[in-house]
Amino acid sequence: MNKADLVTEVHRLLGEGSSRAAAERASNSVLRAIKRGLKKDGEVHLVGFGTFFISQRSARNGYNPHTRQPMRIPAIKLIRFKASSNLRAAR
Amino acid sequence: MNKADLVTEVHRLLGEGSSRAAAERASNSVLRAIKRGLKKDGEVHLVGFGTFFISQRSARNGYNPHTRQPMRIPAIKLIRFKASSNLRAAR
DNA sequence: CAGTCACCAGATCGGCCTTGTTCATACGGT
DNA sequence: ACCGTATGAACAAGGCCGATCTGGTGACTG
């Protein structure tokens, strides 16, 4: 499913009274809001859907897949997602 | 960040012309659309945000952390999320 | 149509995942 | 605005899944 398909689905869910442009604005707004929430609190908790959260990963040893030379992968912050039981049942 | 806070943020992003109820409907619609996309295609690809996808995990051996007894963890479908580079930079 | 974004490969080690109960908290209806 | 309900987080230990590196190609976006 693409972003365009998502907008189409949002449009359907919003009902006849809304335009496609409104559905697109809604999609972008929600995604940006999640992004800002992550940036601000480091965690976005959505009951009935799932939780986005930032987990810290320490530095470790890795490889350059092209040259196969060993290299040090620095510590990074990883954005992860835990689906709620509700979302899991919807698969 | 809670769902209520997310709705508040969406409301701000949608602008003055929209009501809070509209922001709430928008949030729910987008989340439901993602859920339906996952159910339908097993994958929701959102450029500039990330990708939700269902990964099949085969059965494996594990432990019951309560009783420490070895147990067989059955194969399940797990909903995972891979953040795009854009989202990663926004942390 | 042009530019940007994500996926692919192989190898390795670190961190997640499992169960079950209790408790806290968030949701949404009245 | 408040309260009841229901959802999810934490915690234990150990094995196994997957995230990560680079660079080019392909698909999608606007």
Side-chain angles (χ1 to χ4, degrees):
Chain A
M1 175 187 242
N2 282 342
K3 191 170 188 178
D5 300 331
L6 179 82
V7 171
T8 301
E9 188 67 29
V10 170
H11 188 193
R12 272 183 38 190
L13 289 173
L14 282 179
E16 298 291 339
S18 65
S19 64
R20 181 167 228 280
E24 193 169 339
R25 265 186 319 220
S27 308
N28 289 330
S29 297
V30 172
L31 295 182
R32 286 203 309 193
I34 294 175
K35 192 183 294 187
R36 295 191 61 161
L38 269 175
K39 187 178 181 180
K40 182 186 164 203
D41 298 343
E43 194 176 272
V44 176
H45 195 79
L46 302 174
V47 173
F49 187 78
T51 304
F52 298 88
F53 58 99
I54 295 179
S55 71
Q56 177 69 265
R57 298 191 63 173
S58 54
R60 60 192 185 88
N61 297 321
Y63 287 83
N64 183 328
H66 279 306
T67 64
R68 295 190 185 179
Q69 281 188 354
M71 60 173 293
R72 185 74 173 171
I73 300 175
I76 59 172
K77 291 182 190 299
L78 176 65
I79 297 176
R80 300 193 67 253
F81 175 74
K82 181 186 186 304
S84 73
S85 57
N86 184 310
L87 181 61
R88 241 174 265 185
R91 57 173 157 73
Chain B
M1 176 187 243
N2 283 343
K3 191 171 187 178
D5 299 330
L6 179 82
V7 171
T8 301
E9 187 66 30
V10 170
H11 188 194
R12 272 182 40 190
L13 289 174
L14 282 179
E16 299 291 339
S18 64
S19 65
R20 182 168 227 280
E24 193 169 340
R25 266 185 321 220
S27 307
N28 289 330
S29 296
V30 171
L31 295 183
R32 286 203 310 192
I34 294 174
K35 193 183 296 188
R36 294 190 62 161
L38 268 176
K39 188 177 181 180
K40 183 187 163 201
D41 298 344
E43 193 176 271
V44 177
H45 196 79
L46 302 174
V47 173
F49 186 77
T51 304
F52 298 89
F53 59 99
I54 295 179
S55 72
Q56 177 69 268
R57 297 186 59 175
S58 53
R60 60 192 182 91
N61 296 321
Y63 287 81
N64 183 332
H66 210 43
T67 62
R68 295 188 188 179
Q69 281 187 353
M71 60 170 292
R72 186 73 173 173
I73 300 175
I76 58 172
K77 292 181 189 297
L78 179 64
I79 296 176
R80 304 191 66 254
F81 175 74
K82 180 186 186 305
S84 73
S85 58
N86 185 310
L87 181 61
R88 241 174 269 184
R91 56 174 158 73

PDB file of all heavy atoms in Angstrom, chain A residues 31-62:
ATOM      1  N   LEU A  31       0.946  12.196  10.464  1.00  0.00           N
ATOM      2  CA  LEU A  31       2.315  11.682  10.413  1.00  0.00           C
ATOM      3  C   LEU A  31       3.294  12.693  10.999  1.00  0.00           C
ATOM      4  O   LEU A  31       4.195  12.328  11.755  1.00  0.00           O
ATOM      5  CB  LEU A  31       2.698  11.344   8.965  1.00  0.00           C
ATOM      6  CG  LEU A  31       1.887  10.200   8.347  1.00  0.00           C
ATOM      7  CD1 LEU A  31       2.372   9.905   6.947  1.00  0.00           C
ATOM      8  CD2 LEU A  31       1.962   8.961   9.220  1.00  0.00           C
ATOM      9  N   ARG A  32       3.094  13.961  10.671  1.00  0.00           N
ATOM     10  CA  ARG A  32       3.986  14.977  11.236  1.00  0.00           C
ATOM     11  C   ARG A  32       3.801  15.109  12.737  1.00  0.00           C
ATOM     12  O   ARG A  32       4.758  15.370  13.470  1.00  0.00           O
ATOM     13  CB  ARG A  32       3.741  16.326  10.553  1.00  0.00           C
ATOM     14  CG  ARG A  32       4.301  16.381   9.152  1.00  0.00           C
ATOM     15  CD  ARG A  32       4.561  17.818   8.735  1.00  0.00           C
ATOM     16  NE  ARG A  32       3.393  18.680   8.962  1.00  0.00           N
ATOM     17  CZ  ARG A  32       3.275  19.904   8.462  1.00  0.00           C
ATOM     18  NH1 ARG A  32       4.231  20.382   7.683  1.00  0.00           N
ATOM     19  NH2 ARG A  32       2.218  20.648   8.715  1.00  0.00           N
ATOM     20  N   ALA A  33       2.563  14.942  13.180  1.00  0.00           N
ATOM     21  CA  ALA A  33       2.306  15.031  14.622  1.00  0.00           C
ATOM     22  C   ALA A  33       3.023  13.896  15.348  1.00  0.00           C
ATOM     23  O   ALA A  33       3.617  14.101  16.415  1.00  0.00           O
ATOM     24  CB  ALA A  33       0.802  14.976  14.889  1.00  0.00           C
ATOM     25  N   ILE A  34       2.983  12.706  14.773  1.00  0.00           N
ATOM     26  CA  ILE A  34       3.692  11.575  15.378  1.00  0.00           C
ATOM     27  C   ILE A  34       5.191  11.872  15.411  1.00  0.00           C
ATOM     28  O   ILE A  34       5.878  11.626  16.404  1.00  0.00           O
ATOM     29  CB  ILE A  34       3.407  10.276  14.600  1.00  0.00           C
ATOM     30  CG1 ILE A  34       1.934   9.892  14.741  1.00  0.00           C
ATOM     31  CG2 ILE A  34       4.299   9.149  15.093  1.00  0.00           C
ATOM     32  CD1 ILE A  34       1.529   8.693  13.917  1.00  0.00           C
ATOM     33  N   LYS A  35       5.686  12.415  14.313  1.00  0.00           N
ATOM     34  CA  LYS A  35       7.104  12.730  14.226  1.00  0.00           C
ATOM     35  C   LYS A  35       7.497  13.748  15.306  1.00  0.00           C
ATOM     36  O   LYS A  35       8.511  13.593  15.983  1.00  0.00           O
ATOM     37  CB  LYS A  35       7.413  13.299  12.839  1.00  0.00           C
ATOM     38  CG  LYS A  35       8.887  13.399  12.543  1.00  0.00           C
ATOM     39  CD  LYS A  35       9.128  14.036  11.196  1.00  0.00           C
ATOM     40  CE  LYS A  35       8.618  13.163  10.065  1.00  0.00           C
ATOM     41  NZ  LYS A  35       9.008  13.697   8.739  1.00  0.00           N
ATOM     42  N   ARG A  36       6.665  14.768  15.470  1.00  0.00           N
ATOM     43  CA  ARG A  36       6.961  15.781  16.473  1.00  0.00           C
ATOM     44  C   ARG A  36       6.871  15.212  17.883  1.00  0.00           C
ATOM     45  O   ARG A  36       7.646  15.585  18.761  1.00  0.00           O
ATOM     46  CB  ARG A  36       6.006  16.962  16.319  1.00  0.00           C
ATOM     47  CG  ARG A  36       6.217  17.686  15.006  1.00  0.00           C
ATOM     48  CD  ARG A  36       5.463  18.997  14.994  1.00  0.00           C
ATOM     49  NE  ARG A  36       5.909  19.888  16.038  1.00  0.00           N
ATOM     50  CZ  ARG A  36       5.689  21.203  16.044  1.00  0.00           C
ATOM     51  NH1 ARG A  36       5.049  21.745  15.040  1.00  0.00           N
ATOM     52  NH2 ARG A  36       6.103  21.956  17.032  1.00  0.00           N
ATOM     53  N   GLY A  37       5.916  14.303  18.078  1.00  0.00           N
ATOM     54  CA  GLY A  37       5.794  13.671  19.387  1.00  0.00           C
ATOM     55  C   GLY A  37       7.032  12.853  19.716  1.00  0.00           C
ATOM     56  O   GLY A  37       7.525  12.866  20.853  1.00  0.00           O
ATOM     57  N   LEU A  38       7.541  12.145  18.709  1.00  0.00           N
ATOM     58  CA  LEU A  38       8.756  11.367  18.910  1.00  0.00           C
ATOM     59  C   LEU A  38       9.921  12.280  19.252  1.00  0.00           C
ATOM     60  O   LEU A  38      10.713  11.999  20.150  1.00  0.00           O
ATOM     61  CB  LEU A  38       9.084  10.572  17.648  1.00  0.00           C
ATOM     62  CG  LEU A  38       8.511   9.168  17.572  1.00  0.00           C
ATOM     63  CD1 LEU A  38       8.819   8.551  16.229  1.00  0.00           C
ATOM     64  CD2 LEU A  38       9.096   8.316  18.687  1.00  0.00           C
ATOM     65  N   LYS A  39      10.001  13.363  18.530  1.00  0.00           N
ATOM     66  CA  LYS A  39      11.109  14.298  18.733  1.00  0.00           C
ATOM     67  C   LYS A  39      11.007  14.940  20.119  1.00  0.00           C
ATOM     68  O   LYS A  39      12.023  15.153  20.781  1.00  0.00           O
ATOM     69  CB  LYS A  39      11.048  15.373  17.653  1.00  0.00           C
ATOM     70  CG  LYS A  39      12.228  16.313  17.636  1.00  0.00           C
ATOM     71  CD  LYS A  39      12.068  17.299  16.478  1.00  0.00           C
ATOM     72  CE  LYS A  39      13.254  18.245  16.397  1.00  0.00           C
ATOM     73  NZ  LYS A  39      13.099  19.201  15.277  1.00  0.00           N
ATOM     74  N   LYS A  40       9.796  15.218  20.530  1.00  0.00           N
ATOM     75  CA  LYS A  40       9.601  15.940  21.781  1.00  0.00           C
ATOM     76  C   LYS A  40       9.703  15.025  23.001  1.00  0.00           C
ATOM     77  O   LYS A  40      10.465  15.287  23.921  1.00  0.00           O
ATOM     78  CB  LYS A  40       8.226  16.617  21.754  1.00  0.00           C
ATOM     79  CG  LYS A  40       7.914  17.452  22.976  1.00  0.00           C
ATOM     80  CD  LYS A  40       6.459  17.940  22.900  1.00  0.00           C
ATOM     81  CE  LYS A  40       6.014  18.439  24.268  1.00  0.00           C
ATOM     82  NZ  LYS A  40       4.541  18.413  24.403  1.00  0.00           N
ATOM     83  N   ASP A  41       8.934  13.953  22.998  1.00  0.00           N
ATOM     84  CA  ASP A  41       8.870  13.087  24.176  1.00  0.00           C
ATOM     85  C   ASP A  41       9.653  11.795  24.016  1.00  0.00           C
ATOM     86  O   ASP A  41       9.845  11.072  24.985  1.00  0.00           O
ATOM     87  CB  ASP A  41       7.404  12.745  24.495  1.00  0.00           C
ATOM     88  CG  ASP A  41       6.608  13.997  24.832  1.00  0.00           C
ATOM     89  OD1 ASP A  41       7.233  15.017  25.121  1.00  0.00           O
ATOM     90  OD2 ASP A  41       5.368  13.947  24.806  1.00  0.00           O
ATOM     91  N   GLY A  42      10.041  11.483  22.770  1.00  0.00           N
ATOM     92  CA  GLY A  42      10.748  10.228  22.554  1.00  0.00           C
ATOM     93  C   GLY A  42       9.838   9.028  22.597  1.00  0.00           C
ATOM     94  O   GLY A  42      10.299   7.888  22.603  1.00  0.00           O
ATOM     95  N   GLU A  43       8.529   9.272  22.640  1.00  0.00           N
ATOM     96  CA  GLU A  43       7.578   8.161  22.745  1.00  0.00           C
ATOM     97  C   GLU A  43       6.188   8.643  22.345  1.00  0.00           C
ATOM     98  O   GLU A  43       5.756   9.712  22.782  1.00  0.00           O
ATOM     99  CB  GLU A  43       7.553   7.641  24.186  1.00  0.00           C
ATOM    100  CG  GLU A  43       6.872   6.318  24.346  1.00  0.00           C
ATOM    101  CD  GLU A  43       6.975   5.829  25.776  1.00  0.00           C
ATOM    102  OE1 GLU A  43       7.957   5.160  26.110  1.00  0.00           O
ATOM    103  OE2 GLU A  43       6.058   6.138  26.560  1.00  0.00           O
ATOM    104  N   VAL A  44       5.508   7.880  21.532  1.00  0.00           N
ATOM    105  CA  VAL A  44       4.140   8.210  21.146  1.00  0.00           C
ATOM    106  C   VAL A  44       3.278   6.984  21.410  1.00  0.00           C
ATOM    107  O   VAL A  44       3.457   5.944  20.777  1.00  0.00           O
ATOM    108  CB  VAL A  44       4.047   8.620  19.667  1.00  0.00           C
ATOM    109  CG1 VAL A  44       2.589   8.870  19.273  1.00  0.00           C
ATOM    110  CG2 VAL A  44       4.869   9.875  19.414  1.00  0.00           C
ATOM    111  N   HIS A  45       2.369   7.149  22.358  1.00  0.00           N
ATOM    112  CA  HIS A  45       1.564   6.013  22.820  1.00  0.00           C
ATOM    113  C   HIS A  45       0.151   6.127  22.273  1.00  0.00           C
ATOM    114  O   HIS A  45      -0.578   7.052  22.639  1.00  0.00           O
ATOM    115  CB  HIS A  45       1.554   6.019  24.349  1.00  0.00           C
ATOM    116  CG  HIS A  45       1.078   4.754  24.933  1.00  0.00           C
ATOM    117  ND1 HIS A  45       1.878   3.638  25.036  1.00  0.00           N
ATOM    118  CD2 HIS A  45      -0.128   4.401  25.410  1.00  0.00           C
ATOM    119  CE1 HIS A  45       1.184   2.669  25.578  1.00  0.00           C
ATOM    120  NE2 HIS A  45      -0.032   3.103  25.804  1.00  0.00           N
ATOM    121  N   LEU A  46      -0.233   5.220  21.417  1.00  0.00           N
ATOM    122  CA  LEU A  46      -1.558   5.263  20.818  1.00  0.00           C
ATOM    123  C   LEU A  46      -2.325   3.997  21.193  1.00  0.00           C
ATOM    124  O   LEU A  46      -2.081   2.918  20.629  1.00  0.00           O
ATOM    125  CB  LEU A  46      -1.442   5.382  19.298  1.00  0.00           C
ATOM    126  CG  LEU A  46      -0.660   6.618  18.809  1.00  0.00           C
ATOM    127  CD1 LEU A  46      -0.476   6.583  17.311  1.00  0.00           C
ATOM    128  CD2 LEU A  46      -1.361   7.884  19.245  1.00  0.00           C
ATOM    129  N   VAL A  47      -3.230   4.150  22.145  1.00  0.00           N
ATOM    130  CA  VAL A  47      -3.989   2.982  22.624  1.00  0.00           C
ATOM    131  C   VAL A  47      -4.826   2.419  21.482  1.00  0.00           C
ATOM    132  O   VAL A  47      -5.452   3.163  20.742  1.00  0.00           O
ATOM    133  CB  VAL A  47      -4.878   3.392  23.804  1.00  0.00           C
ATOM    134  CG1 VAL A  47      -5.801   2.245  24.189  1.00  0.00           C
ATOM    135  CG2 VAL A  47      -4.027   3.813  24.976  1.00  0.00           C
ATOM    136  N   GLY A  48      -4.811   1.121  21.353  1.00  0.00           N
ATOM    137  CA  GLY A  48      -5.578   0.482  20.297  1.00  0.00           C
ATOM    138  C   GLY A  48      -4.844   0.426  18.979  1.00  0.00           C
ATOM    139  O   GLY A  48      -5.351  -0.131  18.010  1.00  0.00           O
ATOM    140  N   PHE A  49      -3.649   0.961  18.941  1.00  0.00           N
ATOM    141  CA  PHE A  49      -2.854   0.906  17.711  1.00  0.00           C
ATOM    142  C   PHE A  49      -1.451   0.390  17.994  1.00  0.00           C
ATOM    143  O   PHE A  49      -1.100  -0.714  17.573  1.00  0.00           O
ATOM    144  CB  PHE A  49      -2.801   2.276  17.056  1.00  0.00           C
ATOM    145  CG  PHE A  49      -2.141   2.273  15.717  1.00  0.00           C
ATOM    146  CD1 PHE A  49      -2.825   1.814  14.597  1.00  0.00           C
ATOM    147  CD2 PHE A  49      -0.842   2.727  15.568  1.00  0.00           C
ATOM    148  CE1 PHE A  49      -2.204   1.794  13.357  1.00  0.00           C
ATOM    149  CE2 PHE A  49      -0.221   2.704  14.331  1.00  0.00           C
ATOM    150  CZ  PHE A  49      -0.916   2.242  13.235  1.00  0.00           C
ATOM    151  N   GLY A  50      -0.684   1.175  18.737  1.00  0.00           N
ATOM    152  CA  GLY A  50       0.662   0.744  19.053  1.00  0.00           C
ATOM    153  C   GLY A  50       1.447   1.872  19.679  1.00  0.00           C
ATOM    154  O   GLY A  50       0.913   2.945  19.937  1.00  0.00           O
ATOM    155  N   THR A  51       2.719   1.609  19.915  1.00  0.00           N
ATOM    156  CA  THR A  51       3.579   2.598  20.562  1.00  0.00           C
ATOM    157  C   THR A  51       4.852   2.775  19.761  1.00  0.00           C
ATOM    158  O   THR A  51       5.530   1.799  19.466  1.00  0.00           O
ATOM    159  CB  THR A  51       3.935   2.153  21.995  1.00  0.00           C
ATOM    160  OG1 THR A  51       2.728   1.929  22.721  1.00  0.00           O
ATOM    161  CG2 THR A  51       4.763   3.206  22.689  1.00  0.00           C
ATOM    162  N   PHE A  52       5.162   4.019  19.406  1.00  0.00           N
ATOM    163  CA  PHE A  52       6.459   4.352  18.830  1.00  0.00           C
ATOM    164  C   PHE A  52       7.358   4.797  19.969  1.00  0.00           C
ATOM    165  O   PHE A  52       6.947   5.593  20.814  1.00  0.00           O
ATOM    166  CB  PHE A  52       6.332   5.501  17.831  1.00  0.00           C
ATOM    167  CG  PHE A  52       5.452   5.202  16.656  1.00  0.00           C
ATOM    168  CD1 PHE A  52       4.092   5.445  16.713  1.00  0.00           C
ATOM    169  CD2 PHE A  52       5.977   4.671  15.492  1.00  0.00           C
ATOM    170  CE1 PHE A  52       3.271   5.169  15.627  1.00  0.00           C
ATOM    171  CE2 PHE A  52       5.165   4.391  14.413  1.00  0.00           C
ATOM    172  CZ  PHE A  52       3.811   4.644  14.479  1.00  0.00           C
ATOM    173  N   PHE A  53       8.586   4.286  19.986  1.00  0.00           N
ATOM    174  CA  PHE A  53       9.492   4.713  21.034  1.00  0.00           C
ATOM    175  C   PHE A  53      10.931   4.631  20.524  1.00  0.00           C
ATOM    176  O   PHE A  53      11.235   3.900  19.578  1.00  0.00           O
ATOM    177  CB  PHE A  53       9.325   3.862  22.300  1.00  0.00           C
ATOM    178  CG  PHE A  53       9.557   2.402  22.066  1.00  0.00           C
ATOM    179  CD1 PHE A  53      10.778   1.826  22.377  1.00  0.00           C
ATOM    180  CD2 PHE A  53       8.551   1.604  21.533  1.00  0.00           C
ATOM    181  CE1 PHE A  53      11.002   0.470  22.165  1.00  0.00           C
ATOM    182  CE2 PHE A  53       8.772   0.249  21.310  1.00  0.00           C
ATOM    183  CZ  PHE A  53       9.982  -0.304  21.622  1.00  0.00           C
ATOM    184  N   ILE A  54      11.782   5.404  21.166  1.00  0.00           N
ATOM    185  CA  ILE A  54      13.188   5.467  20.778  1.00  0.00           C
ATOM    186  C   ILE A  54      13.996   4.598  21.730  1.00  0.00           C
ATOM    187  O   ILE A  54      13.901   4.753  22.944  1.00  0.00           O
ATOM    188  CB  ILE A  54      13.700   6.915  20.820  1.00  0.00           C
ATOM    189  CG1 ILE A  54      12.973   7.742  19.757  1.00  0.00           C
ATOM    190  CG2 ILE A  54      15.196   6.960  20.595  1.00  0.00           C
ATOM    191  CD1 ILE A  54      13.398   9.193  19.732  1.00  0.00           C
ATOM    192  N   SER A  55      14.750   3.670  21.166  1.00  0.00           N
ATOM    193  CA  SER A  55      15.612   2.825  21.991  1.00  0.00           C
ATOM    194  C   SER A  55      17.064   3.116  21.643  1.00  0.00           C
ATOM    195  O   SER A  55      17.419   3.278  20.488  1.00  0.00           O
ATOM    196  CB  SER A  55      15.294   1.345  21.769  1.00  0.00           C
ATOM    197  OG  SER A  55      15.726   0.940  20.494  1.00  0.00           O
ATOM    198  N   GLN A  56      17.869   3.161  22.674  1.00  0.00           N
ATOM    199  CA  GLN A  56      19.285   3.472  22.498  1.00  0.00           C
ATOM    200  C   GLN A  56      20.048   2.184  22.199  1.00  0.00           C
ATOM    201  O   GLN A  56      19.914   1.182  22.903  1.00  0.00           O
ATOM    202  CB  GLN A  56      19.820   4.108  23.779  1.00  0.00           C
ATOM    203  CG  GLN A  56      21.290   4.408  23.745  1.00  0.00           C
ATOM    204  CD  GLN A  56      21.642   5.531  22.795  1.00  0.00           C
ATOM    205  OE1 GLN A  56      22.000   5.313  21.655  1.00  0.00           O
ATOM    206  NE2 GLN A  56      21.529   6.752  23.275  1.00  0.00           N
ATOM    207  N   ARG A  57      20.837   2.205  21.141  1.00  0.00           N
ATOM    208  CA  ARG A  57      21.670   1.042  20.823  1.00  0.00           C
ATOM    209  C   ARG A  57      23.120   1.456  20.909  1.00  0.00           C
ATOM    210  O   ARG A  57      23.541   2.432  20.292  1.00  0.00           O
ATOM    211  CB  ARG A  57      21.340   0.509  19.428  1.00  0.00           C
ATOM    212  CG  ARG A  57      19.907   0.042  19.331  1.00  0.00           C
ATOM    213  CD  ARG A  57      19.652  -0.712  18.061  1.00  0.00           C
ATOM    214  NE  ARG A  57      20.456  -1.913  18.003  1.00  0.00           N
ATOM    215  CZ  ARG A  57      20.316  -2.831  17.048  1.00  0.00           C
ATOM    216  NH1 ARG A  57      19.427  -2.654  16.115  1.00  0.00           N
ATOM    217  NH2 ARG A  57      21.062  -3.899  17.052  1.00  0.00           N
ATOM    218  N   SER A  58      23.869   0.673  21.642  1.00  0.00           N
ATOM    219  CA  SER A  58      25.273   1.007  21.850  1.00  0.00           C
ATOM    220  C   SER A  58      26.089   0.672  20.609  1.00  0.00           C
ATOM    221  O   SER A  58      25.643  -0.060  19.732  1.00  0.00           O
ATOM    222  CB  SER A  58      25.806   0.244  23.061  1.00  0.00           C
ATOM    223  OG  SER A  58      25.557  -1.124  22.896  1.00  0.00           O
ATOM    224  N   ALA A  59      27.307   1.188  20.565  1.00  0.00           N
ATOM    225  CA  ALA A  59      28.198   0.954  19.434  1.00  0.00           C
ATOM    226  C   ALA A  59      28.582  -0.520  19.365  1.00  0.00           C
ATOM    227  O   ALA A  59      28.633  -1.217  20.372  1.00  0.00           O
ATOM    228  CB  ALA A  59      29.436   1.825  19.566  1.00  0.00           C
ATOM    229  N   ARG A  60      28.830  -0.992  18.157  1.00  0.00           N
ATOM    230  CA  ARG A  60      29.218  -2.394  17.995  1.00  0.00           C
ATOM    231  C   ARG A  60      30.062  -2.531  16.741  1.00  0.00           C
ATOM    232  O   ARG A  60      30.216  -1.595  15.968  1.00  0.00           O
ATOM    233  CB  ARG A  60      27.976  -3.282  17.903  1.00  0.00           C
ATOM    234  CG  ARG A  60      27.097  -2.929  16.747  1.00  0.00           C
ATOM    235  CD  ARG A  60      25.752  -3.635  16.856  1.00  0.00           C
ATOM    236  NE  ARG A  60      24.931  -3.402  15.695  1.00  0.00           N
ATOM    237  CZ  ARG A  60      24.981  -4.161  14.606  1.00  0.00           C
ATOM    238  NH1 ARG A  60      25.810  -5.175  14.548  1.00  0.00           N
ATOM    239  NH2 ARG A  60      24.212  -3.900  13.583  1.00  0.00           N
ATOM    240  N   ASN A  61      30.624  -3.732  16.545  1.00  0.00           N
ATOM    241  CA  ASN A  61      31.472  -3.978  15.390  1.00  0.00           C
ATOM    242  C   ASN A  61      30.636  -4.478  14.219  1.00  0.00           C
ATOM    243  O   ASN A  61      29.729  -5.282  14.386  1.00  0.00           O
ATOM    244  CB  ASN A  61      32.532  -5.023  15.742  1.00  0.00           C
ATOM    245  CG  ASN A  61      33.454  -4.516  16.831  1.00  0.00           C
ATOM    246  OD1 ASN A  61      33.819  -3.340  16.842  1.00  0.00           O
ATOM    247  ND2 ASN A  61      33.806  -5.380  17.758  1.00  0.00           N
ATOM    248  N   GLY A  62      30.960  -3.994  13.025  1.00  0.00           N
ATOM    249  CA  GLY A  62      30.237  -4.423  11.836  1.00  0.00           C
ATOM    250  C   GLY A  62      31.169  -4.528  10.648  1.00  0.00           C
ATOM    251  O   GLY A  62      32.393  -4.492  10.810  1.00  0.00           O
TER     252      GLY A  62
END
